[in-house]
Amino acid sequence: MTKIHNLGFPRIGAKRELKFALESYWQGQSSRDELKTLGQQLRQRHWQLQAGLDSVPVGDFAYYDQVLDMSFTLGNLPERVRDFHGDALDNYFRVARGRSADSANDADDCCAGVAAGEMTKWFDTNYHYIVPEFSAATEFKLDASRLLEQLGEAKAQGVTTKPVLIGPVTYLWLGKAKDDSDKLALLPKLLPVYAELLDTLAAEGVEWVQIDEPILVTELDAVWQNAFVTAYRQLADCPVKLLLATYFGQLAENRSLTANLPVAGLHVDAINGSDDVEPLIDQLPAGKVLSLGVINGRNIWKTDLNAVLDWLEPLAQQLGERLWLAPSCSLLHVPVDLDSEQKLDAEIKSWLAFAKQKLEELRQLSTALNQGRAAVKAELDANRAAIEARRLSARVNNPAIKAALAGITPQMAQRKSPYAQRAVKQVALLKLPKFPTTTIGSFPQTAEIRLARSQFKSGKLDEAGYKAAMRAEIARCVREQEALGLDVLVHGEAERNDMVEYFGEQLDGYAFSQSGWVQSYGSRCVKPPILFGDISRPRPMTIEWIGYAQSLTGKPMKGMLTGPVTILNWSFVRDDQPRSVTCKQLALAIREEVLDLESVGIGVIQIDEAALREGLPLRRSQWQAYLDWAVESFRITTGGVTDETQIHTHMCYSEFNDIIAAIADMDADAITIETSRSDMELLDAFEHFNYPNEIGPGVYDIHSPNIPSAQHIVALMSKAAECIPTERLWVNPDCGLKTRQWDEVIPALAQMVAAAKTLRATLG
């Protein structure tokens, strides 16, 4: 009998219950007990939704991040929070965001602000994790309380459990040694703690433990490959069965290594690593379970169940009870439930499957394999009809867009002059001081903004009233920036719900869910638009709002756009054509908007490519092909403007040092990029690479409520000035200010402006 299981479930709740509970707690509006009760209720609800699986994950729920959870389970706390006393959950939030509940900002020094942990992207997803911190002196000490608590809850609910852990080798790989020591040298200290944890779980009656080692789908050198052999030989005698899980790609040259590790079972991603399956079956030792991820855990399209069964049925005959089925990865990356959707039209909805529906697809596959296709004939027939309807739909394919794509020329991706010539013209036109100050684009999305948007969508506020409300917010934003003394202003994006959804709503080829939320980090959730067809721009998207903002000030006003690569990577993207083709369609649409902004006198245009890095394939050997079309797509958006128009771009929260040459190839006049949480680590790239254009290393960490000091910003920028000529440096936050409050933003930006004045006096 083929068994079915799940690697992880979305933790935020179908209605973002966890988000709102977290923010209420952090703002001091609810208690710790209320937050923990909500967490328990969500876990119970999610286990109920997974009923019918042969085993259900436990430990996949996190209040902020699963990697941070693992750090606390292993007793690996940054030194700066070890002396804090009180509830462990508050210490957890200090690492995640710099502090816990705002109600604690009094004389109780246990709740004072600290530097938040560095945050970066989880492999090639839009999920962010808190980076573990190491040094040569790092020690580990087990704290299994979180897992044991959740395990007890699951047992009480009658759930057949499978605890989920991040594996020891991946855990070390994900972290950073703050003293440049060898992370792998910590493995001998770490493995006994993992062994103790597995013994503890066995004592609770656990049979199987899922141990995630996704770095096995990356290109590992011999040292890291040997670390896997060392680790799993030492854990082989533990009294539980280990299901070693890999996902997000193919094992390739790591296939033989992985197949022969001394574990009871192996999970592989059969969506992105289908080529691994047949060779793995030949290499697997007798008796070892093979779990195949046959349902896409990263996208929302229905699975072609009949095609999957055609492929699986021979494997089921060959493997028998050794064959398990699951989604390709944790369902963390998709929304919870399609059934509650009312906004999507019936046709597009019939093509989709969210987390709950993906598990139902899994059950149907299992039934078909174990009882024969006749047992689910009606479901398979309906699935076949939906797959075929999507393939043939006229809404998906637009011949005019395909013709426009064929008309792209190399000249469309070239600026008229090199940067050095453009810079002279831009300096003369903009007349900016040294160390010019700006922000990334968004300002706080206040309760008033959200209320006006909600009332407009529900019909309680007419269009004129909505526009008046947005204009008032834009005017406020301009006034505040002028009062602060910022040099290049933004309109604040009051009218925008999300930096991708806002544009997708105005492009043909997109659809939008009502509750299709997924977690990006902590309480931050995004609702990726659904890119289902060929893309075109029917009309201008930003001219009205940005033109109004420019009319209010004599200072330069940045036009704010999201770039084609980011729109692509932060959408649920059609899977019936190469991503490169879809990206160039988006590039043509954004190019039209750029030219329209220039035509109405906007001289500074920022085209954000925050997600450029996360789209990189996990294997370095495949990077160049991606970067070629990604950079070309960005350059298509900018290639039509005059030399005088200054093009900016922005990137955030990823490792950029290894693609700095590709970033330079984008040929933006100025780039703003996150450096605050990583302590200006980006500057290491400039030891070996002479970045040719202007750069704003983000010096204000907007993901923490902590307010930076001017002295701290001066110190960071002084470090930057050692590597980059001062005439090419900007001063800016590391990301947009949408998630912050005005009472945090104003003093933080005041410190930033004061720092810029000091820099002009001392380094100018």
Side-chain angles (χ1 to χ4, degrees):
M1 297 285 287
T2 299
K3 292 185 176 181
I4 53 175
H5 68 109
N6 188 21
L7 275 65
F9 198 81
R11 60 182 70 121
I12 58 172
K15 298 179 180 178
R16 293 181 292 164
E17 295 93 327
L18 181 59
K19 167 190 172 65
F20 299 121
L22 284 169
E23 292 173 356
S24 175
Y25 175 64
W26 293 336
Q27 293 163 13
Q29 297 170 356
S30 61
S31 70
R32 187 182 300 125
D33 287 343
E34 288 173 309
L35 175 61
K36 289 184 175 181
T37 297
L38 184 277
Q40 184 176 16
Q41 291 170 348
L42 284 174
R43 291 190 290 271
Q44 292 174 351
R45 190 182 311 162
H46 297 161
W47 289 327
Q48 289 170 358
L49 288 172
Q50 297 174 85
L53 301 182
D54 292 295
S55 65
V56 171
V58 172
D60 55 330
F61 178 90
Y63 283 106
Y64 202 97
D65 165 50
Q66 71 267 15
V67 181
L68 182 59
D69 278 12
M70 200 69 216
S71 291
F72 272 70
T73 298
L74 298 171
N76 180 30
L77 278 63
E79 185 174 352
R80 61 188 176 275
V81 301
R82 289 178 197 162
D83 293 334
F84 286 114
H85 304 291
D87 190 272
L89 187 62
D90 282 325
N91 225 13
Y92 174 90
F93 289 137
R94 289 184 197 103
V95 181
R97 57 191 297 272
R99 67 173 67 167
S100 184
D102 283 352
S103 60
N105 295 339
D106 50 29
D108 184 1
D109 66 355
C110 77
C111 296
V114 296
E118 183 178 347
M119 188 164 63
T120 197
K121 297 292 177 69
W122 175 249
F123 294 87
D124 58 349
T125 76
N126 188 31
Y127 177 80
H128 303 64
Y129 72 93
I130 302 297
V131 178
E133 299 176 22
F134 305 125
S135 72
T138 294
E139 300 289 339
F140 302 99
K141 182 179 180 181
L142 180 64
D143 178 1
S145 57
R146 171 187 63 91
L147 270 171
L148 294 179
E149 178 183 356
Q150 295 184 27
L151 195 60
E153 293 172 10
K155 284 182 179 179
Q157 196 171 325
V159 172
T160 302
T161 60
K162 173 169 56 68
V164 177
L165 310 175
I166 294 172
V169 186
T170 290
Y171 179 75
L172 291 175
W173 188 87
L174 292 170
K176 284 189 176 178
K178 293 296 186 177
D179 58 355
D180 295 324
S181 59
D182 178 12
K183 295 184 293 185
L184 270 181
L186 298 174
L187 190 61
K189 294 182 182 180
L190 182 60
L191 290 176
V193 181
Y194 269 86
E196 183 184 358
L197 175 55
L198 295 173
D199 287 343
T200 301
L201 294 173
E204 294 296 318
V206 169
E207 180 183 7
W208 282 91
V209 173
Q210 175 185 317
I211 192 158
D212 290 2
E213 294 282 12
I215 67 164
L216 281 163
V217 304
T218 68
E219 291 162 334
L220 300 173
D221 62 27
V223 175
W224 283 93
Q225 289 177 332
N226 290 336
F228 275 100
V229 177
T230 300
Y232 286 93
R233 282 180 178 170
Q234 187 163 334
L235 298 177
D237 294 331
C238 291
V240 292
K241 296 177 182 178
L242 296 182
L243 178 72
L244 189 146
T246 68
Y247 38 81
F248 298 152
Q250 56 186 338
L251 293 169
E253 75 280 358
N254 297 324
R255 190 185 302 132
S256 180
L257 163 70
T258 307
N260 290 289
L261 290 174
V263 294
L266 174 64
H267 171 85
V268 295
D269 182 340
I271 301 295
N272 297 297
S274 58
D275 291 344
D276 285 327
V277 176
E278 294 287 354
L280 266 178
I281 291 174
D282 293 337
Q283 296 180 43
L284 277 184
K288 183 173 287 190
V289 164
L290 179 61
S291 168
L292 297 180
V294 294
I295 305 290
N296 194 333
R298 293 276 298 273
N299 216 328
I300 42 74
W301 306 107
K302 275 186 174 173
T303 304
D304 187 340
L305 298 179
N306 293 280
V308 171
L309 283 170
D310 290 342
W311 177 66
L312 280 179
E313 284 168 339
L315 300 183
Q317 290 290 326
Q318 183 178 357
L319 293 170
E321 63 182 12
R322 295 167 57 204
L323 177 63
W324 291 11
L325 301 180
S328 59
C329 60
S330 170
L331 296 176
L332 173 71
H333 310 287
V334 296
V336 176
D337 187 6
L338 184 65
D339 290 343
S340 61
E341 284 298 327
Q342 299 175 347
K343 185 175 180 179
L344 287 166
D345 68 66
E347 182 182 20
I348 292 175
K349 187 175 179 180
S350 72
W351 303 339
L352 307 179
F354 291 177
K356 178 183 172 183
Q357 289 71 38
K358 288 178 182 293
L359 294 180
E360 181 57 33
E361 290 182 330
L362 196 62
R363 295 182 188 101
Q364 291 168 11
L365 288 173
S366 173
T367 300
L369 289 175
N370 292 329
Q371 300 176 32
R373 295 198 194 195
V376 283
K377 182 180 185 304
E379 291 88 342
L380 294 178
D381 287 347
N383 176 266
R384 179 183 287 107
I387 298 295
E388 188 69 2
R390 178 184 165 211
R391 186 180 69 83
L392 298 175
S393 174
R395 299 175 68 183
V396 172
N397 302 293
N398 185 332
I401 304 306
K402 289 178 168 54
L405 205 65
I408 293 176
T409 64
Q411 290 71 33
M412 291 175 67
Q414 297 291 330
R415 295 288 298 270
K416 293 179 173 57
S417 304
Y419 162 76
Q421 296 177 28
R422 302 194 307 261
V424 172
K425 298 176 183 179
Q426 292 164 15
V427 166
L429 182 68
L430 296 173
K431 298 180 173 60
L432 298 175
K434 266 196 171 183
F435 297 101
T437 56
T438 190
T439 63
I440 304 306
S442 61
F443 269 79
Q445 288 271 313
T446 63
E448 293 80 8
I449 291 173
R450 292 193 297 270
L451 177 62
R453 184 181 299 125
S454 174
Q455 289 180 334
F456 177 54
K457 287 186 175 182
S458 67
K460 295 179 181 178
L461 183 66
D462 63 17
E463 184 175 5
Y466 172 73
K467 287 187 173 181
M470 294 302 102
R471 284 186 170 223
E473 291 290 344
I474 290 169
R476 174 192 182 181
C477 189
V478 172
R479 286 197 308 272
E480 295 287 4
Q481 291 174 89
E482 288 195 315
L484 284 162
L486 290 164
D487 299 305
V488 175
L489 311 189
V490 297
H491 79 293
E493 303 180 15
E495 80 288 358
R496 301 186 188 182
N497 44 10
D498 175 82
M499 64 182 291
V500 174
E501 185 174 9
Y502 175 78
F503 291 97
E505 285 177 335
Q506 301 181 79
L507 294 170
D508 287 344
Y510 264 104
F512 300 87
S513 65
Q514 181 180 10
S515 303
W517 298 99
V518 295
Q519 185 181 26
S520 179
Y521 63 87
S523 68
R524 171 70 168 148
C525 301
V526 294
K527 186 153 58 71
I530 299 164
L531 199 167
F532 69 86
D534 289 330
I535 294 296
S536 62
R537 186 196 75 143
R539 63 193 66 85
M541 301 181 285
T542 65
I543 302 298
E544 177 181 358
W545 303 111
I546 294 172
Y548 171 69
Q550 182 66 85
S551 74
L552 301 176
T553 180
K555 290 190 171 184
M557 177 65 60
K558 273 197 293 190
M560 298 301 307
L561 305 174
T562 304
V565 184
T566 296
I567 294 178
L568 180 88
N569 285 333
W570 287 357
S571 298
F572 289 125
V573 180
R574 59 189 295 188
D575 56 359
D576 59 341
Q577 70 179 15
R579 292 171 69 88
S580 58
V581 172
T582 303
C583 195
K584 288 178 183 177
Q585 291 180 359
L586 287 163
L588 290 176
I590 300 301
R591 177 187 176 94
E592 293 174 1
E593 188 72 15
V594 168
L595 294 175
D596 278 350
L597 282 169
E598 185 182 60
S599 72
V600 297
I602 302 299
V604 182
I605 302 173
Q606 180 170 309
I607 307 166
D608 289 340
E609 286 294 14
L612 178 80
R613 176 63 168 79
E614 80 182 45
L616 274 178
L618 296 178
R619 294 185 166 273
R620 189 178 289 265
S621 58
Q622 299 169 359
W623 282 13
Q624 196 58 53
Y626 164 78
L627 289 169
D628 284 348
W629 61 255
V631 170
E632 180 188 8
S633 295
F634 177 84
R635 291 179 65 136
I636 286 170
T637 69
T638 66
V641 299
T642 65
D643 287 349
E644 287 79 5
T645 296
Q646 189 175 75
I647 297 293
H648 290 225
T649 190
H650 169 67
M651 298 176 186
C652 58
Y653 289 95
S654 281
E655 299 292 336
F656 294 108
N657 293 23
D658 46 10
I659 61 164
I660 195 69
I663 292 173
D665 286 344
M666 294 167 68
D667 198 27
D669 297 300
I671 179 173
T672 52
I673 198 163
E674 183 277 325
T675 56
S676 60
R677 282 202 179 192
S678 56
D679 195 27
M680 303 296 266
E681 187 177 282
L682 177 74
L683 298 179
D684 294 344
F686 297 105
E687 294 181 5
H688 311 289
F689 184 83
N690 181 22
Y691 187 78
N693 301 8
E694 298 165 40
I695 188 165
V699 289
Y700 156 28
D701 174 13
I702 70 90
H703 293 87
S704 169
N706 297 339
I707 295 170
S709 68
Q711 293 85 348
H712 178 67
I713 294 172
V714 167
L716 291 176
M717 290 300 301
S718 298
K719 189 184 294 188
E722 295 174 5
C723 306
I724 303 161
T726 56
E727 64 270 14
R728 291 199 267 120
L729 281 172
W730 288 68
V731 183
N732 49 263
D734 62 7
C735 205
L737 300 165
K738 175 181 178 179
T739 60
R740 300 263 58 89
Q741 305 296 317
W742 276 106
D743 59 1
E744 299 166 335
V745 165
I746 295 297
L749 291 180
Q751 293 294 315
M752 193 183 82
V753 171
K757 292 178 179 177
T758 299
L759 289 164
R760 290 165 195 156
T762 57
L763 298 178

